[in-house]
Amino acid sequence: MIKDPMRARDDEPLLTIGYSTLASRALAMVLPRHQPGVELLIVVQQSPPGFDLDSLQRPDVRVIFDDGIGAARSRNIVIDSSAGQYVLFGDDDVTVITDGVEELLRVLERSPQLSFVQGRAVDETGQPRKRYPK
């Protein structure tokens, strides 16, 4: 049994939730509530000089400004910069369902042979965002 499924060790988060966003969309992001053991890492692409995200300042949020562009580039920055043992990556318009993430972390912690898990995304009505294979 996992004592605290949201902590890898006392000094680091178990999960980094990474986001890719353009500076023009960053302030519209809806971040999940603060949870112990979860770090939010936002990669802001193509930000103009002096751009900041003061409105998103929270102890669990880190922001990395990048001159480049592209989801793959941001994903790699998140992987390289994350403090968490696990990484969940999404675009700036993704709403993370924290209950589902907690269950996923429990599965990963109970199954150390797993190294990659891909979930199914649902829209705001709870319907799958696309057709997934069985």
Side-chain angles (χ1 to χ4, degrees), residues 1 3 5 7 15 19 28 44 69-70 75 78 82 84 99 108 110 116 129 132:
M1 188 66 173
K3 290 182 184 174
R7 285 267 178 214
L15 176 67
Y19 294 93
V44 181
I69 192 165
R75 182 191 61 236
V78 167
S82 68
D99 292 344
L108 287 167
R110 287 192 305 256
F116 178 84
R129 292 184 62 121
Y132 291 99

Side-chain angles (χ1 to χ4, degrees), residues 10 20-21 25-26 29 66 81 85 91 95 103 115 117 123-125 129 132:
D10 288 340
S20 172
T21 187
R25 296 172 49 102
M29 293 177 60
D66 181 44
S81 305
Q85 181 176 341
D91 289 329
T95 301
E103 178 58 28
S115 59
V117 176
D123 65 18
E124 59 280 352
T125 68
R129 292 184 62 121
Y132 291 99

Side-chain angles (χ1 to χ4, degrees), residues 17 19 30-35 38 40 58 60 94 96 98:
I17 301 176
Y19 294 93
V30 177
L31 299 178
R33 63 179 167 74
H34 173 72
Q35 291 181 274
V38 178
L40 304 178
R58 297 178 0 191
D60 59 331
V94 169
V96 174
T98 54

